[in-house]
Amino acid sequence: MDREISKTERRKALWRQIFKTGGLILAFVVAAGFLISYMQASLNRKDLLISTVDKGTIEVSVNASGKVVPAFEEIINSPINSRIVEVYRKGGDEVDVGTPILKLDLQTVETEYNKLIDEEEMLRLQLEQLRVTNSGKLSEMEMKLKVSRMELSRREVELRNERYLDSLGAGTTDKVRQVELSYHVGLLQLNEDEQKYLNEQALTEADLKVKELELRIFRKGLAEALRTLEDAQIRSPRKAILTYVNTEVGAQIQQGSRVAIVSELSHFKVEGEIADTYGDRIAVGSRVVVKIGNNKLNGTVSDMTPLSKNGILTFSAQLEEDNHPRLRSGLKADVYVMNAIKEDALRIANASYYTGKGEYELFVVSDDQLLKRKVQLGDSNFEYVEVVSGLRQGDEVVVSDVSSYQEKSKLKLKNK
């Protein structure tokens, strides 16, 4: 026979059910919290590059790409149209001043040069012939002048005698007038001959100067032909390393085409390229820092092109230590051109995260967590980036690559 359960027992049973249900709920909450904590992304501090925000000087720079090239390099071009007959040296050989590098076919040039020598001799002989002819002509005219002067002197004596006889009454007036007329005619003739002589003398001097000028001009052309002939015997102009030589024996070479390059490989410079939007931030004399691996080399802008090409300005940088052992021809380098200084600026370390002025989302250390924060960054150099807003002095900021966690707003930080 069933009996009725007392109120006390029913109350106890209810409490037992409540405790049981509550325990299950509490266990579920603890398990869920543990699971969420376990599944939250975490990073080890030792695997991160963390920069502490501090205050200091930022020497603002703009980035450029650069290439290491020899400080002294000379291109040897062919002065004539010819072909390669022999090659005496190969790329990488050390050459001294005057060392033969290759031989061109010079038969045509030599023939032309010899022809010019003959023409020069002919012009020289023509000049000498003109001197002799002019000298003979002037000598003949001088002889005629002497005869005319003697004739005039004779007539002058005759006129004096006639005047004397006329004064004694032994002569006649008509005779005196006749002799006077003859004397004056002779005087006019002498004056005319003297003027002809002076004119002829000036003319012969002018002819000689013209011929001498022609000969001088021709000799300059001859000297240029000789220089071309000597240059066509391709030799090293300095003590250096032969970095390029055309070794195609028999190849046709056009005048002005490159046949060899000699370079001084113990000293180097950097040729850089920068966007023309930064043209107002670079000038000759600007300080630069060249980074090659972990090496930093100081230098100055020594030369730059005034016009941009395809939006690019090119410049050259002279290095203070241009013989650094890390330098190699053709080596790529990062170039930082300094253009301003900011004192007492908030700054963090520069790294791959920085791509220019603007807003960034960076992870900031907060106890054992990394919290994402919006940060405004400004100018930079190769070491530091200016903090405009979003960070305070002493904040620790992750500056290593954490791009795979950009979707996260919070990360767990392990200090082990």
Side-chain angles (χ1 to χ4, degrees):
M1 178 177 176
D2 296 334
R3 67 182 180 85
E4 185 179 356
I5 300 174
S6 67
K7 291 182 178 180
T8 302
E9 290 179 351
R10 287 200 300 271
R11 191 179 296 112
K12 289 181 179 179
L14 178 61
W15 281 109
R16 284 197 296 272
Q17 186 66 33
I18 290 173
F19 283 132
K20 184 178 179 180
T21 303
L24 289 173
I25 293 173
L26 180 62
F28 177 78
V29 170
V30 172
F34 178 79
L35 182 61
I36 291 172
S37 175
Y38 178 79
M39 293 179 64
Q40 181 179 350
S42 62
L43 295 171
N44 287 321
R45 188 183 183 100
K46 65 179 182 180
D47 296 331
L48 299 175
L49 182 61
I50 296 176
S51 174
T52 302
V53 180
D54 67 353
K55 279 191 174 183
T57 300
I58 297 179
E59 193 171 3
V60 181
S61 66
V62 290
N63 296 2
S65 60
K67 182 176 70 172
V68 179
V69 298
F72 305 102
E73 185 175 73
E74 185 166 346
I75 298 174
I76 303 175
N77 297 318
S78 173
I80 59 172
N81 295 322
S82 185
R83 64 184 183 88
I84 298 176
V85 178
E86 293 181 59
V87 177
Y88 304 122
R89 294 289 186 271
K90 62 181 183 298
D93 286 353
E94 184 174 353
V95 292
D96 210 335
V97 178
T99 300
I101 297 175
L102 55 82
K103 181 180 180 181
L104 300 179
D105 183 1
L106 304 180
Q107 183 176 355
T108 302
V109 179
E110 288 174 344
T111 301
E112 184 65 24
Y113 178 69
N114 291 331
K115 179 181 176 182
L116 291 175
I117 290 178
D118 293 339
E119 291 182 11
E120 188 264 347
E121 179 65 14
M122 182 178 66
L123 287 175
R124 189 188 65 79
L125 292 174
Q126 286 177 352
L127 177 61
E128 188 63 31
Q129 183 181 22
L130 181 61
R131 283 198 181 100
V132 173
T133 301
N134 289 344
S135 177
K137 186 182 295 185
L138 290 175
S139 295
E140 183 179 350
M141 293 184 72
E142 285 177 359
M143 186 61 66
K144 287 183 178 180
L145 280 174
K146 287 181 180 180
V147 172
S148 296
R149 290 190 183 103
M150 292 173 65
E151 180 64 24
L152 184 64
S153 296
R154 185 189 65 77
R155 291 181 182 181
E156 184 178 9
V157 172
E158 185 179 357
L159 176 61
R160 192 164 51 247
N161 292 336
E162 287 296 331
R163 284 176 177 172
Y164 177 72
L165 291 174
D166 185 50
S167 66
L168 296 176
T172 63
T173 303
D174 290 340
K175 182 65 175 178
V176 173
R177 289 177 179 174
Q178 182 180 0
V179 174
E180 280 183 350
L181 180 60
S182 177
Y183 170 76
H184 286 299
V185 170
L187 181 60
L188 292 174
Q189 186 65 46
L190 177 61
N191 290 337
E192 182 182 2
D193 290 344
E194 286 178 343
Q195 189 59 49
K196 285 183 178 179
Y197 176 79
L198 292 175
N199 292 342
E200 187 65 27
Q201 191 177 41
L203 183 61
T204 55
E205 287 179 359
D207 286 343
L208 280 174
K209 287 180 179 178
V210 169
K211 285 294 182 180
E212 287 171 350
L213 180 60
E214 288 180 358
L215 184 59
R216 284 200 299 272
I217 293 174
F218 188 86
R219 282 175 173 168
K220 288 180 180 178
L222 183 63
E224 181 67 20
L226 178 60
R227 188 184 66 81
T228 301
L229 180 61
E230 291 174 346
D231 289 346
Q233 300 170 13
I234 307 299
R235 301 175 184 273
S236 174
R238 64 174 70 236
K239 184 176 182 180
I241 302 297
L242 186 63
T243 52
Y244 167 79
V245 60
N246 189 333
T247 57
E248 297 181 32
V249 176
Q252 293 294 324
I253 303 297
Q254 298 299 316
Q255 182 180 359
S257 61
R258 182 179 63 179
V259 292
I261 300 176
V262 292
S263 307
E264 172 58 72
L265 296 183
S266 59
H267 298 274
F268 298 88
K269 64 180 179 180
V270 174
E271 289 185 348
E273 293 184 344
I274 192 170
D276 58 7
T277 52
Y278 296 113
D280 58 338
R281 299 193 186 185
I282 180 172
V284 173
S286 299
R287 193 172 80 85
V288 300
V289 174
V290 178
K291 284 188 68 177
I292 302 176
N294 295 324
N295 299 105
K296 299 174 185 177
L297 303 177
N298 294 318
T300 55
V301 175
S302 58
D303 181 51
M304 64 178 296
T305 55
L307 300 175
S308 67
K309 184 177 181 180
N310 298 325
I312 299 295
L313 287 173
T314 60
F315 63 93
S316 297
Q318 187 69 39
L319 301 174
E320 292 178 4
E321 192 179 356
D322 61 1
N323 59 347
H324 191 280
R326 189 72 175 81
L327 295 172
R328 294 287 185 277
S329 182
L331 196 64
K332 300 294 183 182
D334 294 321
V335 183
Y336 300 89
V337 183
M338 308 302 173
N339 60 86
I341 295 179
K342 290 191 175 182
E343 302 284 356
D344 202 29
L346 281 178
R347 62 187 189 179
I348 57 175
N350 196 345
S352 59
Y353 70 92
Y354 182 76
T355 57
K357 291 182 180 181
E359 188 177 77
Y360 291 78
E361 291 185 337
L362 302 178
F363 285 102
V364 181
V365 177
S366 177
D367 296 329
D368 60 348
Q369 290 184 326
L370 297 176
L371 303 179
K372 184 183 288 185
R373 188 183 300 177
K374 288 186 178 181
V375 178
Q376 191 75 23
L377 300 181
D379 292 315
S380 70
N381 62 17
F382 62 95
E383 291 181 307
Y384 298 106
V385 176
E386 178 191 17
V387 177
V388 178
S389 63
L391 294 173
R392 297 187 301 273
Q393 187 173 354
D395 285 346
E396 293 182 310
V397 184
V398 176
V399 294
S400 53
D401 184 13
V402 288
S403 56
S404 57
Y405 300 96
Q406 285 303 309
E407 299 300 322
K408 305 288 185 180
S409 61
K410 182 190 301 184
L411 296 170
K412 187 173 182 181
L413 182 64
K414 296 180 181 180
N415 292 314
K416 294 182 179 181

